[in-house]
Amino acid sequence: MATAAPARKSREVAEAKQHSAQKTDPVPTEVRRRIDQGLEFFLCSFVEMSGIPKAKLVPSTHVDDMAVEGAGFAGFAAGDIGQGPHSPDLMAIPDFRSLTMLPWRKNIAWVAGNAFVEGKPSNYCQNLVFKTGVEPEFFLVRQEDGCFAPWDTADNAQKPCYDLRVLSHNLDICTSLVKHMQEVGWDPYANDHEDANCQFEINWTYSDALTTADRHVFFRYMVKQIAEQHGLLATFMPKPFHNLT
């Protein structure tokens, strides 16, 4: 019995240290698990005021630095984010709750970052919480002789909204997008052909404003990537063609 006490004490100290490390670890256990399973890179991203997402590609070997200090950006060069040429760097500190694996590049994850300047939240990084949803619409187009046009020449009805025939021409892209959204834990519930030729919409369940905004940023990125895999281009412009709705 005399020798058991030191062993028990040593075990208790080790458990206390482990518990303390878990409490102070800036990287969630789930993120570390994904790294162990093959996650190699993070796209740490934020959105500047004109709506353009910015990002840095950070190797997972530096996840601790990114989690504590953030991914650094020269704010003035990053766009409309309230920074001047002599301003200190803007640091995007990842919100790992937004972590989204790229279904088409499974060793890379996208994560939304909150913008900080000199350790304080940027006035241009808003974090309002209320329930909201979006209905993002996009065109699938092709480039030919330096011009852009709707990719499907058979999609030429005067009123193409909800058209089954032309929706069927785009099942590969539309179903791939829905499956990818399901894979990353969203809840897509409808997909349709919209008012203009070669225009489509995918809907998913609403969430708090920040989560919905983060997902919308990733959705736009994902749609463009999947369109390129099919030899097409995707645009979210509301009216890219003057003669279409």
Side-chain angles (χ1 to χ4, degrees), residues 130-153:
F130 56 92
K131 297 294 184 181
T132 185
V134 292
E135 294 187 351
E137 300 171 357
F138 57 92
F139 285 83
L140 294 175
V141 304
R142 57 184 170 82
Q143 187 173 13
E144 187 175 292
D145 298 327
C147 297
F148 296 95
W151 87 268
D152 186 0
T153 56

PDB file of all heavy atoms in Angstrom, residues 130-153:
ATOM      1  N   PHE A 130     -28.687  36.555 -35.352  1.00  0.00           N
ATOM      2  CA  PHE A 130     -30.124  36.378 -35.500  1.00  0.00           C
ATOM      3  C   PHE A 130     -30.340  35.385 -36.628  1.00  0.00           C
ATOM      4  O   PHE A 130     -29.445  35.127 -37.417  1.00  0.00           O
ATOM      5  CB  PHE A 130     -30.845  37.704 -35.777  1.00  0.00           C
ATOM      6  CG  PHE A 130     -30.337  38.455 -36.974  1.00  0.00           C
ATOM      7  CD1 PHE A 130     -30.910  38.271 -38.221  1.00  0.00           C
ATOM      8  CD2 PHE A 130     -29.292  39.367 -36.846  1.00  0.00           C
ATOM      9  CE1 PHE A 130     -30.445  38.967 -39.321  1.00  0.00           C
ATOM     10  CE2 PHE A 130     -28.821  40.067 -37.945  1.00  0.00           C
ATOM     11  CZ  PHE A 130     -29.397  39.875 -39.181  1.00  0.00           C
ATOM     12  N   LYS A 131     -31.513  34.801 -36.678  1.00  0.00           N
ATOM     13  CA  LYS A 131     -31.781  33.767 -37.663  1.00  0.00           C
ATOM     14  C   LYS A 131     -32.004  34.390 -39.037  1.00  0.00           C
ATOM     15  O   LYS A 131     -32.759  35.353 -39.177  1.00  0.00           O
ATOM     16  CB  LYS A 131     -33.020  32.955 -37.265  1.00  0.00           C
ATOM     17  CG  LYS A 131     -32.859  32.196 -35.949  1.00  0.00           C
ATOM     18  CD  LYS A 131     -31.815  31.103 -36.049  1.00  0.00           C
ATOM     19  CE  LYS A 131     -31.730  30.296 -34.772  1.00  0.00           C
ATOM     20  NZ  LYS A 131     -30.707  29.243 -34.830  1.00  0.00           N
ATOM     21  N   THR A 132     -31.358  33.829 -40.030  1.00  0.00           N
ATOM     22  CA  THR A 132     -31.517  34.342 -41.382  1.00  0.00           C
ATOM     23  C   THR A 132     -31.216  33.239 -42.385  1.00  0.00           C
ATOM     24  O   THR A 132     -30.563  32.244 -42.060  1.00  0.00           O
ATOM     25  CB  THR A 132     -30.588  35.552 -41.634  1.00  0.00           C
ATOM     26  OG1 THR A 132     -30.858  36.107 -42.917  1.00  0.00           O
ATOM     27  CG2 THR A 132     -29.129  35.134 -41.585  1.00  0.00           C
ATOM     28  N   GLY A 133     -31.703  33.422 -43.588  1.00  0.00           N
ATOM     29  CA  GLY A 133     -31.447  32.467 -44.657  1.00  0.00           C
ATOM     30  C   GLY A 133     -31.198  33.202 -45.959  1.00  0.00           C
ATOM     31  O   GLY A 133     -31.448  34.407 -46.066  1.00  0.00           O
ATOM     32  N   VAL A 134     -30.685  32.502 -46.937  1.00  0.00           N
ATOM     33  CA  VAL A 134     -30.419  33.094 -48.244  1.00  0.00           C
ATOM     34  C   VAL A 134     -30.977  32.174 -49.324  1.00  0.00           C
ATOM     35  O   VAL A 134     -31.188  30.981 -49.095  1.00  0.00           O
ATOM     36  CB  VAL A 134     -28.907  33.313 -48.479  1.00  0.00           C
ATOM     37  CG1 VAL A 134     -28.367  34.378 -47.555  1.00  0.00           C
ATOM     38  CG2 VAL A 134     -28.129  32.014 -48.302  1.00  0.00           C
ATOM     39  N   GLU A 135     -31.228  32.750 -50.491  1.00  0.00           N
ATOM     40  CA  GLU A 135     -31.635  31.976 -51.659  1.00  0.00           C
ATOM     41  C   GLU A 135     -30.678  32.317 -52.797  1.00  0.00           C
ATOM     42  O   GLU A 135     -31.008  33.090 -53.696  1.00  0.00           O
ATOM     43  CB  GLU A 135     -33.083  32.290 -52.043  1.00  0.00           C
ATOM     44  CG  GLU A 135     -34.101  31.841 -51.010  1.00  0.00           C
ATOM     45  CD  GLU A 135     -35.535  32.005 -51.492  1.00  0.00           C
ATOM     46  OE1 GLU A 135     -35.738  32.636 -52.560  1.00  0.00           O
ATOM     47  OE2 GLU A 135     -36.450  31.501 -50.825  1.00  0.00           O
ATOM     48  N   PRO A 136     -29.470  31.768 -52.758  1.00  0.00           N
ATOM     49  CA  PRO A 136     -28.446  32.149 -53.736  1.00  0.00           C
ATOM     50  C   PRO A 136     -28.747  31.614 -55.134  1.00  0.00           C
ATOM     51  O   PRO A 136     -29.048  30.436 -55.307  1.00  0.00           O
ATOM     52  CB  PRO A 136     -27.170  31.527 -53.165  1.00  0.00           C
ATOM     53  CG  PRO A 136     -27.647  30.375 -52.357  1.00  0.00           C
ATOM     54  CD  PRO A 136     -28.980  30.778 -51.801  1.00  0.00           C
ATOM     55  N   GLU A 137     -28.671  32.495 -56.106  1.00  0.00           N
ATOM     56  CA  GLU A 137     -28.918  32.145 -57.500  1.00  0.00           C
ATOM     57  C   GLU A 137     -27.635  32.341 -58.303  1.00  0.00           C
ATOM     58  O   GLU A 137     -26.883  33.283 -58.058  1.00  0.00           O
ATOM     59  CB  GLU A 137     -30.039  33.012 -58.072  1.00  0.00           C
ATOM     60  CG  GLU A 137     -31.364  32.846 -57.329  1.00  0.00           C
ATOM     61  CD  GLU A 137     -32.409  33.858 -57.759  1.00  0.00           C
ATOM     62  OE1 GLU A 137     -32.079  34.723 -58.606  1.00  0.00           O
ATOM     63  OE2 GLU A 137     -33.541  33.799 -57.259  1.00  0.00           O
ATOM     64  N   PHE A 138     -27.408  31.470 -59.262  1.00  0.00           N
ATOM     65  CA  PHE A 138     -26.191  31.558 -60.060  1.00  0.00           C
ATOM     66  C   PHE A 138     -26.483  31.154 -61.504  1.00  0.00           C
ATOM     67  O   PHE A 138     -27.421  30.399 -61.784  1.00  0.00           O
ATOM     68  CB  PHE A 138     -25.086  30.672 -59.478  1.00  0.00           C
ATOM     69  CG  PHE A 138     -25.454  29.216 -59.339  1.00  0.00           C
ATOM     70  CD1 PHE A 138     -25.180  28.302 -60.354  1.00  0.00           C
ATOM     71  CD2 PHE A 138     -26.080  28.754 -58.186  1.00  0.00           C
ATOM     72  CE1 PHE A 138     -25.524  26.967 -60.227  1.00  0.00           C
ATOM     73  CE2 PHE A 138     -26.429  27.412 -58.050  1.00  0.00           C
ATOM     74  CZ  PHE A 138     -26.151  26.519 -59.071  1.00  0.00           C
ATOM     75  N   PHE A 139     -25.681  31.695 -62.410  1.00  0.00           N
ATOM     76  CA  PHE A 139     -25.744  31.338 -63.821  1.00  0.00           C
ATOM     77  C   PHE A 139     -24.599  30.376 -64.148  1.00  0.00           C
ATOM     78  O   PHE A 139     -23.490  30.534 -63.630  1.00  0.00           O
ATOM     79  CB  PHE A 139     -25.590  32.577 -64.708  1.00  0.00           C
ATOM     80  CG  PHE A 139     -26.796  33.464 -64.775  1.00  0.00           C
ATOM     81  CD1 PHE A 139     -27.032  34.417 -63.794  1.00  0.00           C
ATOM     82  CD2 PHE A 139     -27.688  33.372 -65.840  1.00  0.00           C
ATOM     83  CE1 PHE A 139     -28.128  35.251 -63.860  1.00  0.00           C
ATOM     84  CE2 PHE A 139     -28.795  34.204 -65.922  1.00  0.00           C
ATOM     85  CZ  PHE A 139     -29.016  35.144 -64.926  1.00  0.00           C
ATOM     86  N   LEU A 140     -24.870  29.426 -65.014  1.00  0.00           N
ATOM     87  CA  LEU A 140     -23.832  28.571 -65.582  1.00  0.00           C
ATOM     88  C   LEU A 140     -23.593  29.028 -67.013  1.00  0.00           C
ATOM     89  O   LEU A 140     -24.518  29.030 -67.832  1.00  0.00           O
ATOM     90  CB  LEU A 140     -24.260  27.104 -65.549  1.00  0.00           C
ATOM     91  CG  LEU A 140     -24.412  26.493 -64.153  1.00  0.00           C
ATOM     92  CD1 LEU A 140     -24.950  25.072 -64.244  1.00  0.00           C
ATOM     93  CD2 LEU A 140     -23.083  26.506 -63.399  1.00  0.00           C
ATOM     94  N   VAL A 141     -22.355  29.437 -67.301  1.00  0.00           N
ATOM     95  CA  VAL A 141     -22.059  30.040 -68.596  1.00  0.00           C
ATOM     96  C   VAL A 141     -20.831  29.384 -69.216  1.00  0.00           C
ATOM     97  O   VAL A 141     -20.086  28.648 -68.562  1.00  0.00           O
ATOM     98  CB  VAL A 141     -21.827  31.564 -68.453  1.00  0.00           C
ATOM     99  CG1 VAL A 141     -23.029  32.234 -67.803  1.00  0.00           C
ATOM    100  CG2 VAL A 141     -20.573  31.859 -67.639  1.00  0.00           C
ATOM    101  N   ARG A 142     -20.632  29.672 -70.483  1.00  0.00           N
ATOM    102  CA  ARG A 142     -19.449  29.217 -71.211  1.00  0.00           C
ATOM    103  C   ARG A 142     -18.803  30.435 -71.870  1.00  0.00           C
ATOM    104  O   ARG A 142     -19.457  31.459 -72.092  1.00  0.00           O
ATOM    105  CB  ARG A 142     -19.830  28.187 -72.278  1.00  0.00           C
ATOM    106  CG  ARG A 142     -20.859  28.690 -73.273  1.00  0.00           C
ATOM    107  CD  ARG A 142     -21.284  27.623 -74.266  1.00  0.00           C
ATOM    108  NE  ARG A 142     -22.433  28.062 -75.051  1.00  0.00           N
ATOM    109  CZ  ARG A 142     -22.358  28.842 -76.124  1.00  0.00           C
ATOM    110  NH1 ARG A 142     -21.173  29.268 -76.543  1.00  0.00           N
ATOM    111  NH2 ARG A 142     -23.449  29.203 -76.781  1.00  0.00           N
ATOM    112  N   GLN A 143     -17.526  30.317 -72.167  1.00  0.00           N
ATOM    113  CA  GLN A 143     -16.808  31.386 -72.851  1.00  0.00           C
ATOM    114  C   GLN A 143     -16.483  30.932 -74.261  1.00  0.00           C
ATOM    115  O   GLN A 143     -15.957  29.834 -74.470  1.00  0.00           O
ATOM    116  CB  GLN A 143     -15.526  31.746 -72.103  1.00  0.00           C
ATOM    117  CG  GLN A 143     -14.808  32.960 -72.674  1.00  0.00           C
ATOM    118  CD  GLN A 143     -13.632  33.388 -71.811  1.00  0.00           C
ATOM    119  OE1 GLN A 143     -13.208  32.647 -70.930  1.00  0.00           O
ATOM    120  NE2 GLN A 143     -13.108  34.574 -72.049  1.00  0.00           N
ATOM    121  N   GLU A 144     -16.810  31.783 -75.215  1.00  0.00           N
ATOM    122  CA  GLU A 144     -16.598  31.434 -76.616  1.00  0.00           C
ATOM    123  C   GLU A 144     -16.224  32.688 -77.389  1.00  0.00           C
ATOM    124  O   GLU A 144     -16.960  33.680 -77.371  1.00  0.00           O
ATOM    125  CB  GLU A 144     -17.868  30.808 -77.198  1.00  0.00           C
ATOM    126  CG  GLU A 144     -17.709  30.259 -78.604  1.00  0.00           C
ATOM    127  CD  GLU A 144     -18.958  29.540 -79.066  1.00  0.00           C
ATOM    128  OE1 GLU A 144     -19.268  28.466 -78.516  1.00  0.00           O
ATOM    129  OE2 GLU A 144     -19.630  30.071 -79.968  1.00  0.00           O
ATOM    130  N   ASP A 145     -15.064  32.657 -78.042  1.00  0.00           N
ATOM    131  CA  ASP A 145     -14.581  33.803 -78.822  1.00  0.00           C
ATOM    132  C   ASP A 145     -14.525  35.076 -77.981  1.00  0.00           C
ATOM    133  O   ASP A 145     -14.870  36.173 -78.443  1.00  0.00           O
ATOM    134  CB  ASP A 145     -15.469  34.029 -80.055  1.00  0.00           C
ATOM    135  CG  ASP A 145     -15.458  32.837 -81.004  1.00  0.00           C
ATOM    136  OD1 ASP A 145     -14.402  32.177 -81.094  1.00  0.00           O
ATOM    137  OD2 ASP A 145     -16.496  32.569 -81.636  1.00  0.00           O
ATOM    138  N   GLY A 146     -14.106  34.922 -76.731  1.00  0.00           N
ATOM    139  CA  GLY A 146     -13.945  36.077 -75.859  1.00  0.00           C
ATOM    140  C   GLY A 146     -15.227  36.606 -75.255  1.00  0.00           C
ATOM    141  O   GLY A 146     -15.207  37.605 -74.536  1.00  0.00           O
ATOM    142  N   CYS A 147     -16.354  35.942 -75.532  1.00  0.00           N
ATOM    143  CA  CYS A 147     -17.643  36.386 -75.000  1.00  0.00           C
ATOM    144  C   CYS A 147     -18.231  35.300 -74.098  1.00  0.00           C
ATOM    145  O   CYS A 147     -17.898  34.124 -74.218  1.00  0.00           O
ATOM    146  CB  CYS A 147     -18.615  36.696 -76.141  1.00  0.00           C
ATOM    147  SG  CYS A 147     -18.076  38.047 -77.219  1.00  0.00           S
ATOM    148  N   PHE A 148     -19.122  35.719 -73.219  1.00  0.00           N
ATOM    149  CA  PHE A 148     -19.787  34.783 -72.325  1.00  0.00           C
ATOM    150  C   PHE A 148     -21.237  34.621 -72.752  1.00  0.00           C
ATOM    151  O   PHE A 148     -21.885  35.573 -73.200  1.00  0.00           O
ATOM    152  CB  PHE A 148     -19.721  35.283 -70.881  1.00  0.00           C
ATOM    153  CG  PHE A 148     -18.328  35.355 -70.335  1.00  0.00           C
ATOM    154  CD1 PHE A 148     -17.611  36.541 -70.376  1.00  0.00           C
ATOM    155  CD2 PHE A 148     -17.720  34.231 -69.797  1.00  0.00           C
ATOM    156  CE1 PHE A 148     -16.323  36.614 -69.883  1.00  0.00           C
ATOM    157  CE2 PHE A 148     -16.430  34.287 -69.300  1.00  0.00           C
ATOM    158  CZ  PHE A 148     -15.731  35.479 -69.345  1.00  0.00           C
ATOM    159  N   ALA A 149     -21.744  33.393 -72.591  1.00  0.00           N
ATOM    160  CA  ALA A 149     -23.124  33.106 -72.966  1.00  0.00           C
ATOM    161  C   ALA A 149     -23.634  31.969 -72.096  1.00  0.00           C
ATOM    162  O   ALA A 149     -22.843  31.175 -71.565  1.00  0.00           O
ATOM    163  CB  ALA A 149     -23.204  32.714 -74.441  1.00  0.00           C
ATOM    164  N   PRO A 150     -24.966  31.862 -71.911  1.00  0.00           N
ATOM    165  CA  PRO A 150     -25.506  30.696 -71.207  1.00  0.00           C
ATOM    166  C   PRO A 150     -25.004  29.418 -71.864  1.00  0.00           C
ATOM    167  O   PRO A 150     -24.989  29.314 -73.094  1.00  0.00           O
ATOM    168  CB  PRO A 150     -27.021  30.869 -71.369  1.00  0.00           C
ATOM    169  CG  PRO A 150     -27.214  32.341 -71.542  1.00  0.00           C
ATOM    170  CD  PRO A 150     -26.025  32.802 -72.327  1.00  0.00           C
ATOM    171  N   TRP A 151     -24.605  28.457 -71.056  1.00  0.00           N
ATOM    172  CA  TRP A 151     -23.887  27.310 -71.613  1.00  0.00           C
ATOM    173  C   TRP A 151     -24.777  26.387 -72.440  1.00  0.00           C
ATOM    174  O   TRP A 151     -24.315  25.776 -73.410  1.00  0.00           O
ATOM    175  CB  TRP A 151     -23.220  26.510 -70.499  1.00  0.00           C
ATOM    176  CG  TRP A 151     -24.083  25.452 -69.865  1.00  0.00           C
ATOM    177  CD1 TRP A 151     -24.867  25.589 -68.762  1.00  0.00           C
ATOM    178  CD2 TRP A 151     -24.252  24.104 -70.304  1.00  0.00           C
ATOM    179  NE1 TRP A 151     -25.520  24.420 -68.476  1.00  0.00           N
ATOM    180  CE2 TRP A 151     -25.158  23.480 -69.415  1.00  0.00           C
ATOM    181  CE3 TRP A 151     -23.737  23.345 -71.356  1.00  0.00           C
ATOM    182  CZ2 TRP A 151     -25.559  22.159 -69.539  1.00  0.00           C
ATOM    183  CZ3 TRP A 151     -24.135  22.019 -71.481  1.00  0.00           C
ATOM    184  CH2 TRP A 151     -25.030  21.437 -70.578  1.00  0.00           C
ATOM    185  N   ASP A 152     -26.060  26.272 -72.091  1.00  0.00           N
ATOM    186  CA  ASP A 152     -26.943  25.293 -72.729  1.00  0.00           C
ATOM    187  C   ASP A 152     -27.800  25.989 -73.780  1.00  0.00           C
ATOM    188  O   ASP A 152     -28.744  26.710 -73.455  1.00  0.00           O
ATOM    189  CB  ASP A 152     -27.824  24.641 -71.658  1.00  0.00           C
ATOM    190  CG  ASP A 152     -28.681  23.511 -72.214  1.00  0.00           C
ATOM    191  OD1 ASP A 152     -28.585  23.229 -73.430  1.00  0.00           O
ATOM    192  OD2 ASP A 152     -29.446  22.915 -71.427  1.00  0.00           O
ATOM    193  N   THR A 153     -27.486  25.785 -75.044  1.00  0.00           N
ATOM    194  CA  THR A 153     -28.242  26.447 -76.113  1.00  0.00           C
ATOM    195  C   THR A 153     -29.685  25.954 -76.179  1.00  0.00           C
ATOM    196  O   THR A 153     -30.550  26.627 -76.747  1.00  0.00           O
ATOM    197  CB  THR A 153     -27.560  26.211 -77.473  1.00  0.00           C
ATOM    198  OG1 THR A 153     -27.411  24.798 -77.693  1.00  0.00           O
ATOM    199  CG2 THR A 153     -26.181  26.865 -77.502  1.00  0.00           C
TER     200      THR A 153
END
